[in-house]
Amino acid sequence: MLPGSIQISGETLSGAEIRDICESLRENSVRLLSLRGCQLSERDFGHVCRGVAESRSLAQLNLNLGIVSNINRVKQLAEALKTNRSVQSLFLHGSPLTDAGLALLNPALSIHPSLVALDLGDCMLGDEGINLICGLLPPDGAKSGLKELTLSANPGITSKGWGRLAIAVAHSSQLRVLNLDYNPLGDQVAGMLAVAVASSRTLEVLDLEGTGLTNQSAQTLLDMVENYPTALRTLILAENNISPELQQQISDLLSEGEEEEETEVHEVTAREKNPWICQNSSSSQMVLMTSGLGDSLLAETEM
């Protein structure tokens, strides 16, 4: 039987329900566990963490909206992740971690062999937390790192912290999705992020919704998209003081990039079917590297 999912939202969980969840985790019959906004005792939270530690099937763990509510729970989750080898996505959005809590969790995150997606939105993080997160974005691919990172609504991070993150993103060899929505970034930080996007070989999605940007930021981002080859496919700029015309120009340029890539992929497919067609070595290499991205995503899905 293929592993299934347990998804519960906003409920007060009884001891019996927790026992059933833990039994399913130990039996490796759960691929997704979501206890979003649920209420459970300290003892029962510990039981869940032990179940996570023992599970070999769990790929996605959602503890959003205050489940990890104190330092003791952070410690128990960290211990579980040190043992667990299967979790690929960890969602802690809305947990009052603070930098101190993330410091306790970070050693387990940094050595986890499968973790590729992390949501630390609205976790009361500051610049020290950013320094820890940057360590999860290795620059050379020598070790596994995050492919998707969410840091929404962490207003305690200063421009210095965001600058540090921009440098890490520019050199990250794996990050594909970065969500920074509802942070007070402003035009200065947006400029640093534009440089990071222009330097990154992998970043495909950047969410800057509601981050205090103006037309100044949009013009910088437009120049970046227009003049530099990037991997960027989606740029979210809603709820900023940016003119609809500039947003449309950026969107059109990104769409053109997607269309050009699709055309190149079709050309490569045609060459493979007809070996008599002469191949341009430089363009073929670029397209093949792009098509390899789909293979890696498929492999991740099937894990």
Side-chain angles (χ1 to χ4, degrees), residues 28-79:
N28 299 308
S29 60
V30 180
R31 181 172 176 80
L32 184 159
L33 174 61
S34 176
L35 303 179
R36 186 175 180 272
C38 290
Q39 301 293 321
L40 61 163
S41 69
E42 294 296 315
R43 180 180 179 182
D44 285 341
F45 182 85
H47 289 325
V48 170
C49 285
R50 285 191 286 276
V52 169
E54 295 176 27
S55 176
R56 298 188 304 276
S57 64
L58 186 65
Q60 181 172 315
L61 178 60
N62 186 330
L63 300 176
N64 282 351
L65 300 184
I67 302 294
V68 187
S69 56
N70 55 56
I71 289 296
N72 185 54
R73 292 192 176 194
V74 173
K75 291 178 180 177
Q76 292 184 84
L77 178 60
E79 287 300 315

mmCIF file of all heavy atoms in Angstrom, residues 28-79:
data_model
loop_
_atom_site.group_PDB
_atom_site.id
_atom_site.type_symbol
_atom_site.label_atom_id
_atom_site.label_comp_id
_atom_site.label_asym_id
_atom_site.label_seq_id
_atom_site.Cartn_x
_atom_site.Cartn_y
_atom_site.Cartn_z
ATOM 1 N N ASN A 28 5.101 3.412 8.661
ATOM 2 C CA ASN A 28 5.522 3.979 7.370
ATOM 3 C C ASN A 28 4.383 4.037 6.358
ATOM 4 O O ASN A 28 4.569 3.769 5.166
ATOM 5 C CB ASN A 28 6.694 3.173 6.796
ATOM 6 C CG ASN A 28 7.898 3.212 7.703
ATOM 7 O OD1 ASN A 28 8.344 4.284 8.109
ATOM 8 N ND2 ASN A 28 8.418 2.045 8.048
ATOM 9 N N SER A 29 3.197 4.416 6.865
ATOM 10 C CA SER A 29 2.033 4.532 5.982
ATOM 11 C C SER A 29 1.625 5.989 5.769
ATOM 12 O O SER A 29 0.542 6.255 5.250
ATOM 13 C CB SER A 29 0.850 3.751 6.580
ATOM 14 O OG SER A 29 0.495 4.265 7.859
ATOM 15 N N VAL A 30 2.501 6.935 6.162
ATOM 16 C CA VAL A 30 2.184 8.361 6.019
ATOM 17 C C VAL A 30 3.281 9.048 5.211
ATOM 18 O O VAL A 30 4.458 8.977 5.568
ATOM 19 C CB VAL A 30 2.057 9.059 7.396
ATOM 20 C CG1 VAL A 30 1.736 10.540 7.209
ATOM 21 C CG2 VAL A 30 0.993 8.390 8.246
ATOM 22 N N ARG A 31 2.883 9.711 4.133
ATOM 23 C CA ARG A 31 3.830 10.511 3.352
ATOM 24 C C ARG A 31 3.706 11.992 3.704
ATOM 25 O O ARG A 31 4.687 12.723 3.680
ATOM 26 C CB ARG A 31 3.583 10.299 1.854
ATOM 27 C CG ARG A 31 4.552 11.082 0.957
ATOM 28 C CD ARG A 31 4.396 10.695 -0.497
ATOM 29 N NE ARG A 31 5.250 11.502 -1.361
ATOM 30 C CZ ARG A 31 6.541 11.287 -1.553
ATOM 31 N NH1 ARG A 31 7.134 10.280 -0.925
ATOM 32 N NH2 ARG A 31 7.245 12.064 -2.360
ATOM 33 N N LEU A 32 2.490 12.434 4.039
ATOM 34 C CA LEU A 32 2.243 13.827 4.399
ATOM 35 C C LEU A 32 1.526 13.885 5.738
ATOM 36 O O LEU A 32 0.470 13.283 5.911
ATOM 37 C CB LEU A 32 1.406 14.514 3.317
ATOM 38 C CG LEU A 32 1.119 16.016 3.453
ATOM 39 C CD1 LEU A 32 0.754 16.600 2.085
ATOM 40 C CD2 LEU A 32 -0.016 16.316 4.431
ATOM 41 N N LEU A 33 2.102 14.628 6.691
ATOM 42 C CA LEU A 33 1.467 14.856 7.989
ATOM 43 C C LEU A 33 1.310 16.361 8.182
ATOM 44 O O LEU A 33 2.295 17.098 8.249
ATOM 45 C CB LEU A 33 2.297 14.267 9.128
ATOM 46 C CG LEU A 33 1.775 14.578 10.551
ATOM 47 C CD1 LEU A 33 0.371 14.021 10.742
ATOM 48 C CD2 LEU A 33 2.736 14.019 11.610
ATOM 49 N N SER A 34 0.059 16.818 8.284
ATOM 50 C CA SER A 34 -0.234 18.233 8.494
ATOM 51 C C SER A 34 -1.143 18.390 9.710
ATOM 52 O O SER A 34 -2.265 17.884 9.723
ATOM 53 C CB SER A 34 -0.921 18.834 7.255
ATOM 54 O OG SER A 34 -1.281 20.185 7.493
ATOM 55 N N LEU A 35 -0.627 19.082 10.727
ATOM 56 C CA LEU A 35 -1.394 19.359 11.942
ATOM 57 C C LEU A 35 -1.560 20.868 12.101
ATOM 58 O O LEU A 35 -1.444 21.416 13.189
ATOM 59 C CB LEU A 35 -0.687 18.765 13.166
ATOM 60 C CG LEU A 35 -0.411 17.260 13.123
ATOM 61 C CD1 LEU A 35 0.319 16.816 14.384
ATOM 62 C CD2 LEU A 35 -1.704 16.474 12.954
ATOM 63 N N ARG A 36 -1.833 21.526 11.025
ATOM 64 C CA ARG A 36 -1.863 22.996 10.940
ATOM 65 C C ARG A 36 -2.821 23.604 11.971
ATOM 66 O O ARG A 36 -4.019 23.373 11.940
ATOM 67 C CB ARG A 36 -2.285 23.379 9.528
ATOM 68 C CG ARG A 36 -2.249 24.839 9.197
ATOM 69 C CD ARG A 36 -2.590 25.018 7.725
ATOM 70 N NE ARG A 36 -2.574 26.417 7.332
ATOM 71 C CZ ARG A 36 -3.634 27.217 7.419
ATOM 72 N NH1 ARG A 36 -4.771 26.745 7.894
ATOM 73 N NH2 ARG A 36 -3.549 28.471 7.050
ATOM 74 N N GLY A 37 -2.257 24.403 12.899
ATOM 75 C CA GLY A 37 -3.067 25.125 13.864
ATOM 76 C C GLY A 37 -3.770 24.267 14.892
ATOM 77 O O GLY A 37 -4.698 24.736 15.565
ATOM 78 N N CYS A 38 -3.345 23.029 15.061
ATOM 79 C CA CYS A 38 -3.989 22.133 16.027
ATOM 80 C C CYS A 38 -3.464 22.363 17.446
ATOM 81 O O CYS A 38 -2.362 22.876 17.639
ATOM 82 C CB CYS A 38 -3.769 20.679 15.628
ATOM 83 S SG CYS A 38 -4.686 20.186 14.149
ATOM 84 N N GLN A 39 -4.258 21.955 18.424
ATOM 85 C CA GLN A 39 -3.877 22.026 19.832
ATOM 86 C C GLN A 39 -3.563 20.618 20.320
ATOM 87 O O GLN A 39 -4.366 19.707 20.155
ATOM 88 C CB GLN A 39 -5.020 22.624 20.664
ATOM 89 C CG GLN A 39 -5.449 24.021 20.246
ATOM 90 C CD GLN A 39 -4.376 25.057 20.504
ATOM 91 O OE1 GLN A 39 -3.692 25.005 21.530
ATOM 92 N NE2 GLN A 39 -4.227 26.000 19.585
ATOM 93 N N LEU A 40 -2.383 20.444 20.920
ATOM 94 C CA LEU A 40 -2.022 19.166 21.514
ATOM 95 C C LEU A 40 -1.104 19.407 22.700
ATOM 96 O O LEU A 40 -0.385 20.408 22.756
ATOM 97 C CB LEU A 40 -1.374 18.228 20.502
ATOM 98 C CG LEU A 40 -0.069 18.633 19.813
ATOM 99 C CD1 LEU A 40 0.581 17.393 19.209
ATOM 100 C CD2 LEU A 40 -0.292 19.646 18.698
ATOM 101 N N SER A 41 -1.161 18.479 23.654
ATOM 102 C CA SER A 41 -0.401 18.646 24.892
ATOM 103 C C SER A 41 1.096 18.508 24.641
ATOM 104 O O SER A 41 1.524 18.012 23.593
ATOM 105 C CB SER A 41 -0.848 17.608 25.924
ATOM 106 O OG SER A 41 -0.442 16.309 25.502
ATOM 107 N N GLU A 42 1.886 18.951 25.622
ATOM 108 C CA GLU A 42 3.341 18.809 25.517
ATOM 109 C C GLU A 42 3.725 17.341 25.359
ATOM 110 O O GLU A 42 4.596 16.997 24.554
ATOM 111 C CB GLU A 42 4.013 19.402 26.750
ATOM 112 C CG GLU A 42 3.857 20.905 26.907
ATOM 113 C CD GLU A 42 4.528 21.673 25.780
ATOM 114 O OE1 GLU A 42 5.673 21.330 25.430
ATOM 115 O OE2 GLU A 42 3.896 22.599 25.250
ATOM 116 N N ARG A 43 3.094 16.501 26.127
ATOM 117 C CA ARG A 43 3.391 15.060 26.066
ATOM 118 C C ARG A 43 3.073 14.500 24.682
ATOM 119 O O ARG A 43 3.867 13.749 24.110
ATOM 120 C CB ARG A 43 2.590 14.325 27.136
ATOM 121 C CG ARG A 43 2.818 12.823 27.160
ATOM 122 C CD ARG A 43 1.998 12.176 28.242
ATOM 123 N NE ARG A 43 2.180 10.730 28.269
ATOM 124 C CZ ARG A 43 1.542 9.907 29.095
ATOM 125 N NH1 ARG A 43 0.683 10.401 29.977
ATOM 126 N NH2 ARG A 43 1.770 8.608 29.053
ATOM 127 N N ASP A 44 1.911 14.883 24.147
ATOM 128 C CA ASP A 44 1.518 14.361 22.841
ATOM 129 C C ASP A 44 2.415 14.904 21.729
ATOM 130 O O ASP A 44 2.698 14.198 20.753
ATOM 131 C CB ASP A 44 0.052 14.702 22.555
ATOM 132 C CG ASP A 44 -0.904 13.828 23.351
ATOM 133 O OD1 ASP A 44 -0.470 12.764 23.829
ATOM 134 O OD2 ASP A 44 -2.080 14.213 23.491
ATOM 135 N N PHE A 45 2.869 16.152 21.867
ATOM 136 C CA PHE A 45 3.806 16.683 20.874
ATOM 137 C C PHE A 45 5.086 15.854 20.870
ATOM 138 O O PHE A 45 5.650 15.554 19.802
ATOM 139 C CB PHE A 45 4.126 18.152 21.159
ATOM 140 C CG PHE A 45 5.045 18.765 20.137
ATOM 141 C CD1 PHE A 45 4.542 19.291 18.955
ATOM 142 C CD2 PHE A 45 6.417 18.810 20.335
ATOM 143 C CE1 PHE A 45 5.388 19.852 18.000
ATOM 144 C CE2 PHE A 45 7.268 19.374 19.388
ATOM 145 C CZ PHE A 45 6.749 19.890 18.224
ATOM 146 N N GLY A 46 5.534 15.466 22.054
ATOM 147 C CA GLY A 46 6.715 14.610 22.143
ATOM 148 C C GLY A 46 6.497 13.268 21.464
ATOM 149 O O GLY A 46 7.403 12.744 20.790
ATOM 150 N N HIS A 47 5.291 12.706 21.625
ATOM 151 C CA HIS A 47 4.977 11.433 20.965
ATOM 152 C C HIS A 47 5.035 11.583 19.438
ATOM 153 O O HIS A 47 5.564 10.703 18.738
ATOM 154 C CB HIS A 47 3.586 10.951 21.384
ATOM 155 C CG HIS A 47 3.506 10.472 22.800
ATOM 156 N ND1 HIS A 47 4.536 9.810 23.420
ATOM 157 C CD2 HIS A 47 2.498 10.572 23.723
ATOM 158 C CE1 HIS A 47 4.184 9.504 24.662
ATOM 159 N NE2 HIS A 47 2.955 9.965 24.871
ATOM 160 N N VAL A 48 4.482 12.693 18.938
ATOM 161 C CA VAL A 48 4.503 12.924 17.492
ATOM 162 C C VAL A 48 5.944 13.031 16.991
ATOM 163 O O VAL A 48 6.305 12.465 15.950
ATOM 164 C CB VAL A 48 3.710 14.199 17.133
ATOM 165 C CG1 VAL A 48 3.934 14.568 15.662
ATOM 166 C CG2 VAL A 48 2.228 13.998 17.386
ATOM 167 N N CYS A 49 6.781 13.733 17.730
ATOM 168 C CA CYS A 49 8.181 13.891 17.315
ATOM 169 C C CYS A 49 8.901 12.546 17.276
ATOM 170 O O CYS A 49 9.699 12.294 16.360
ATOM 171 C CB CYS A 49 8.905 14.848 18.264
ATOM 172 S SG CYS A 49 8.462 16.583 17.997
ATOM 173 N N ARG A 50 8.610 11.694 18.234
ATOM 174 C CA ARG A 50 9.232 10.357 18.205
ATOM 175 C C ARG A 50 8.735 9.549 17.012
ATOM 176 O O ARG A 50 9.496 8.777 16.410
ATOM 177 C CB ARG A 50 8.963 9.634 19.527
ATOM 178 C CG ARG A 50 9.812 10.166 20.688
ATOM 179 C CD ARG A 50 9.729 9.282 21.909
ATOM 180 N NE ARG A 50 8.456 9.429 22.602
ATOM 181 C CZ ARG A 50 8.189 10.387 23.493
ATOM 182 N NH1 ARG A 50 9.109 11.311 23.766
ATOM 183 N NH2 ARG A 50 7.022 10.453 24.088
ATOM 184 N N GLY A 51 7.449 9.733 16.662
ATOM 185 C CA GLY A 51 6.934 9.066 15.474
ATOM 186 C C GLY A 51 7.606 9.566 14.202
ATOM 187 O O GLY A 51 7.924 8.789 13.304
ATOM 188 N N VAL A 52 7.839 10.875 14.142
ATOM 189 C CA VAL A 52 8.548 11.457 12.991
ATOM 190 C C VAL A 52 9.959 10.891 12.904
ATOM 191 O O VAL A 52 10.450 10.566 11.817
ATOM 192 C CB VAL A 52 8.590 12.997 13.117
ATOM 193 C CG1 VAL A 52 9.551 13.603 12.091
ATOM 194 C CG2 VAL A 52 7.192 13.585 12.948
ATOM 195 N N ALA A 53 10.621 10.755 14.039
ATOM 196 C CA ALA A 53 11.981 10.235 14.057
ATOM 197 C C ALA A 53 12.041 8.817 13.502
ATOM 198 O O ALA A 53 12.996 8.449 12.799
ATOM 199 C CB ALA A 53 12.537 10.261 15.481
ATOM 200 N N GLU A 54 11.007 8.014 13.780
ATOM 201 C CA GLU A 54 11.010 6.610 13.374
ATOM 202 C C GLU A 54 10.514 6.394 11.946
ATOM 203 O O GLU A 54 10.776 5.346 11.346
ATOM 204 C CB GLU A 54 10.145 5.799 14.335
ATOM 205 C CG GLU A 54 10.686 5.753 15.765
ATOM 206 C CD GLU A 54 9.758 5.013 16.701
ATOM 207 O OE1 GLU A 54 9.011 4.137 16.216
ATOM 208 O OE2 GLU A 54 9.780 5.303 17.916
ATOM 209 N N SER A 55 9.797 7.379 11.401
ATOM 210 C CA SER A 55 9.188 7.191 10.088
ATOM 211 C C SER A 55 10.232 7.199 8.975
ATOM 212 O O SER A 55 11.148 8.021 8.962
ATOM 213 C CB SER A 55 8.157 8.285 9.827
ATOM 214 O OG SER A 55 7.615 8.164 8.522
ATOM 215 N N ARG A 56 10.049 6.289 8.022
ATOM 216 C CA ARG A 56 10.897 6.248 6.832
ATOM 217 C C ARG A 56 10.136 6.663 5.576
ATOM 218 O O ARG A 56 10.713 6.721 4.494
ATOM 219 C CB ARG A 56 11.471 4.847 6.632
ATOM 220 C CG ARG A 56 12.367 4.372 7.778
ATOM 221 C CD ARG A 56 13.065 3.059 7.437
ATOM 222 N NE ARG A 56 12.127 2.013 7.072
ATOM 223 C CZ ARG A 56 11.469 1.228 7.928
ATOM 224 N NH1 ARG A 56 11.646 1.400 9.238
ATOM 225 N NH2 ARG A 56 10.634 0.304 7.495
ATOM 226 N N SER A 57 8.831 6.962 5.737
ATOM 227 C CA SER A 57 8.012 7.319 4.583
ATOM 228 C C SER A 57 7.629 8.792 4.557
ATOM 229 O O SER A 57 7.266 9.320 3.501
ATOM 230 C CB SER A 57 6.720 6.485 4.577
ATOM 231 O OG SER A 57 5.921 6.795 5.713
ATOM 232 N N LEU A 58 7.722 9.471 5.694
ATOM 233 C CA LEU A 58 7.232 10.847 5.800
ATOM 234 C C LEU A 58 8.067 11.792 4.949
ATOM 235 O O LEU A 58 9.267 11.946 5.170
ATOM 236 C CB LEU A 58 7.256 11.299 7.258
ATOM 237 C CG LEU A 58 6.643 12.678 7.549
ATOM 238 C CD1 LEU A 58 5.144 12.671 7.250
ATOM 239 C CD2 LEU A 58 6.888 13.084 8.997
ATOM 240 N N ALA A 59 7.424 12.451 3.971
ATOM 241 C CA ALA A 59 8.127 13.373 3.083
ATOM 242 C C ALA A 59 7.792 14.830 3.381
ATOM 243 O O ALA A 59 8.628 15.706 3.163
ATOM 244 C CB ALA A 59 7.787 13.057 1.622
ATOM 245 N N GLN A 60 6.588 15.101 3.873
ATOM 246 C CA GLN A 60 6.178 16.480 4.135
ATOM 247 C C GLN A 60 5.595 16.584 5.541
ATOM 248 O O GLN A 60 4.678 15.848 5.901
ATOM 249 C CB GLN A 60 5.145 16.932 3.105
ATOM 250 C CG GLN A 60 4.691 18.377 3.300
ATOM 251 C CD GLN A 60 3.821 18.867 2.159
ATOM 252 O OE1 GLN A 60 4.137 18.649 0.987
ATOM 253 N NE2 GLN A 60 2.716 19.513 2.464
ATOM 254 N N LEU A 61 6.131 17.525 6.329
ATOM 255 C CA LEU A 61 5.676 17.738 7.703
ATOM 256 C C LEU A 61 5.236 19.191 7.851
ATOM 257 O O LEU A 61 6.035 20.111 7.711
ATOM 258 C CB LEU A 61 6.801 17.419 8.691
ATOM 259 C CG LEU A 61 6.502 17.638 10.176
ATOM 260 C CD1 LEU A 61 5.319 16.775 10.621
ATOM 261 C CD2 LEU A 61 7.736 17.330 11.026
ATOM 262 N N ASN A 62 3.948 19.395 8.138
ATOM 263 C CA ASN A 62 3.370 20.727 8.269
ATOM 264 C C ASN A 62 2.956 20.950 9.721
ATOM 265 O O ASN A 62 1.994 20.346 10.213
ATOM 266 C CB ASN A 62 2.160 20.867 7.340
ATOM 267 C CG ASN A 62 1.588 22.271 7.325
ATOM 268 O OD1 ASN A 62 1.668 22.997 8.314
ATOM 269 N ND2 ASN A 62 0.989 22.659 6.213
ATOM 270 N N LEU A 63 3.703 21.834 10.408
ATOM 271 C CA LEU A 63 3.396 22.207 11.789
ATOM 272 C C LEU A 63 3.139 23.721 11.861
ATOM 273 O O LEU A 63 3.534 24.393 12.811
ATOM 274 C CB LEU A 63 4.552 21.816 12.716
ATOM 275 C CG LEU A 63 4.889 20.321 12.758
ATOM 276 C CD1 LEU A 63 6.114 20.067 13.628
ATOM 277 C CD2 LEU A 63 3.700 19.507 13.282
ATOM 278 N N ASN A 64 2.476 24.242 10.851
ATOM 279 C CA ASN A 64 2.217 25.675 10.759
ATOM 280 C C ASN A 64 1.282 26.176 11.861
ATOM 281 O O ASN A 64 0.549 25.398 12.476
ATOM 282 C CB ASN A 64 1.580 26.014 9.405
ATOM 283 C CG ASN A 64 2.592 26.053 8.284
ATOM 284 O OD1 ASN A 64 3.793 25.993 8.511
ATOM 285 N ND2 ASN A 64 2.102 26.144 7.057
ATOM 286 N N LEU A 65 1.323 27.482 12.060
ATOM 287 C CA LEU A 65 0.401 28.213 12.925
ATOM 288 C C LEU A 65 0.531 27.816 14.391
ATOM 289 O O LEU A 65 -0.438 27.428 15.048
ATOM 290 C CB LEU A 65 -1.044 28.039 12.445
ATOM 291 C CG LEU A 65 -1.330 28.523 11.016
ATOM 292 C CD1 LEU A 65 -2.806 28.397 10.679
ATOM 293 C CD2 LEU A 65 -0.863 29.953 10.821
ATOM 294 N N GLY A 66 1.738 27.936 14.910
ATOM 295 C CA GLY A 66 1.937 27.889 16.349
ATOM 296 C C GLY A 66 2.061 26.530 16.997
ATOM 297 O O GLY A 66 2.041 26.430 18.221
ATOM 298 N N ILE A 67 2.196 25.464 16.215
ATOM 299 C CA ILE A 67 2.354 24.139 16.827
ATOM 300 C C ILE A 67 3.663 24.069 17.614
ATOM 301 O O ILE A 67 3.699 23.576 18.742
ATOM 302 C CB ILE A 67 2.341 23.028 15.754
ATOM 303 C CG1 ILE A 67 1.045 23.073 14.957
ATOM 304 C CG2 ILE A 67 2.526 21.665 16.395
ATOM 305 C CD1 ILE A 67 -0.179 22.742 15.748
ATOM 306 N N VAL A 68 4.737 24.567 17.025
ATOM 307 C CA VAL A 68 6.037 24.580 17.712
ATOM 308 C C VAL A 68 6.085 25.881 18.525
ATOM 309 O O VAL A 68 6.677 26.879 18.114
ATOM 310 C CB VAL A 68 7.190 24.495 16.698
ATOM 311 C CG1 VAL A 68 8.525 24.339 17.424
ATOM 312 C CG2 VAL A 68 6.979 23.325 15.744
ATOM 313 N N SER A 69 5.461 25.851 19.689
ATOM 314 C CA SER A 69 5.127 27.073 20.414
ATOM 315 C C SER A 69 6.102 27.465 21.512
ATOM 316 O O SER A 69 5.956 28.527 22.110
ATOM 317 C CB SER A 69 3.718 26.937 21.023
ATOM 318 O OG SER A 69 3.650 25.781 21.842
ATOM 319 N N ASN A 70 7.100 26.625 21.803
ATOM 320 C CA ASN A 70 8.061 26.967 22.856
ATOM 321 C C ASN A 70 9.391 26.270 22.596
ATOM 322 O O ASN A 70 9.498 25.402 21.721
ATOM 323 C CB ASN A 70 7.515 26.605 24.243
ATOM 324 C CG ASN A 70 7.104 25.136 24.347
ATOM 325 O OD1 ASN A 70 7.903 24.243 24.084
ATOM 326 N ND2 ASN A 70 5.852 24.878 24.722
ATOM 327 N N ILE A 71 10.400 26.652 23.376
ATOM 328 C CA ILE A 71 11.755 26.131 23.181
ATOM 329 C C ILE A 71 11.817 24.630 23.393
ATOM 330 O O ILE A 71 12.541 23.916 22.674
ATOM 331 C CB ILE A 71 12.748 26.854 24.117
ATOM 332 C CG1 ILE A 71 12.965 28.296 23.649
ATOM 333 C CG2 ILE A 71 14.083 26.126 24.164
ATOM 334 C CD1 ILE A 71 13.609 28.414 22.274
ATOM 335 N N ASN A 72 11.058 24.109 24.333
ATOM 336 C CA ASN A 72 11.072 22.665 24.573
ATOM 337 C C ASN A 72 10.604 21.899 23.332
ATOM 338 O O ASN A 72 11.179 20.862 22.981
ATOM 339 C CB ASN A 72 10.185 22.321 25.764
ATOM 340 C CG ASN A 72 10.253 20.842 26.124
ATOM 341 O OD1 ASN A 72 11.335 20.298 26.340
ATOM 342 N ND2 ASN A 72 9.101 20.193 26.180
ATOM 343 N N ARG A 73 9.579 22.416 22.670
ATOM 344 C CA ARG A 73 9.099 21.765 21.449
ATOM 345 C C ARG A 73 10.125 21.878 20.324
ATOM 346 O O ARG A 73 10.272 20.956 19.514
ATOM 347 C CB ARG A 73 7.756 22.357 21.023
ATOM 348 C CG ARG A 73 6.630 22.028 21.992
ATOM 349 C CD ARG A 73 5.264 22.355 21.433
ATOM 350 N NE ARG A 73 4.205 21.941 22.346
ATOM 351 C CZ ARG A 73 2.915 21.857 22.028
ATOM 352 N NH1 ARG A 73 2.519 22.162 20.812
ATOM 353 N NH2 ARG A 73 2.026 21.475 22.936
ATOM 354 N N VAL A 74 10.813 23.004 20.249
ATOM 355 C CA VAL A 74 11.883 23.151 19.251
ATOM 356 C C VAL A 74 12.940 22.071 19.458
ATOM 357 O O VAL A 74 13.403 21.438 18.507
ATOM 358 C CB VAL A 74 12.517 24.548 19.332
ATOM 359 C CG1 VAL A 74 13.735 24.637 18.410
ATOM 360 C CG2 VAL A 74 11.508 25.625 18.970
ATOM 361 N N LYS A 75 13.330 21.848 20.705
ATOM 362 C CA LYS A 75 14.347 20.841 21.016
ATOM 363 C C LYS A 75 13.875 19.445 20.619
ATOM 364 O O LYS A 75 14.648 18.654 20.042
ATOM 365 C CB LYS A 75 14.678 20.870 22.504
ATOM 366 C CG LYS A 75 15.419 22.128 22.958
ATOM 367 C CD LYS A 75 15.662 22.092 24.460
ATOM 368 C CE LYS A 75 16.398 23.342 24.934
ATOM 369 N NZ LYS A 75 16.574 23.347 26.409
ATOM 370 N N GLN A 76 12.613 19.132 20.894
ATOM 371 C CA GLN A 76 12.093 17.806 20.540
ATOM 372 C C GLN A 76 12.030 17.617 19.026
ATOM 373 O O GLN A 76 12.354 16.524 18.516
ATOM 374 C CB GLN A 76 10.700 17.623 21.156
ATOM 375 C CG GLN A 76 10.715 17.538 22.671
ATOM 376 C CD GLN A 76 9.341 17.272 23.242
ATOM 377 O OE1 GLN A 76 8.888 16.121 23.329
ATOM 378 N NE2 GLN A 76 8.643 18.323 23.637
ATOM 379 N N LEU A 77 11.627 18.659 18.318
ATOM 380 C CA LEU A 77 11.596 18.568 16.853
ATOM 381 C C LEU A 77 13.002 18.402 16.291
ATOM 382 O O LEU A 77 13.224 17.615 15.356
ATOM 383 C CB LEU A 77 10.931 19.817 16.268
ATOM 384 C CG LEU A 77 10.854 19.895 14.750
ATOM 385 C CD1 LEU A 77 10.069 18.727 14.169
ATOM 386 C CD2 LEU A 77 10.233 21.231 14.309
ATOM 387 N N ALA A 78 13.957 19.126 16.866
ATOM 388 C CA ALA A 78 15.345 19.019 16.403
ATOM 389 C C ALA A 78 15.870 17.598 16.585
ATOM 390 O O ALA A 78 16.536 17.050 15.699
ATOM 391 C CB ALA A 78 16.226 20.012 17.150
ATOM 392 N N GLU A 79 15.567 16.998 17.719
ATOM 393 C CA GLU A 79 16.006 15.622 17.968
ATOM 394 C C GLU A 79 15.371 14.659 16.969
ATOM 395 O O GLU A 79 16.025 13.728 16.481
ATOM 396 C CB GLU A 79 15.647 15.211 19.401
ATOM 397 C CG GLU A 79 16.511 15.857 20.461
ATOM 398 C CD GLU A 79 17.989 15.516 20.291
ATOM 399 O OE1 GLU A 79 18.300 14.329 20.050
ATOM 400 O OE2 GLU A 79 18.815 16.444 20.358
#
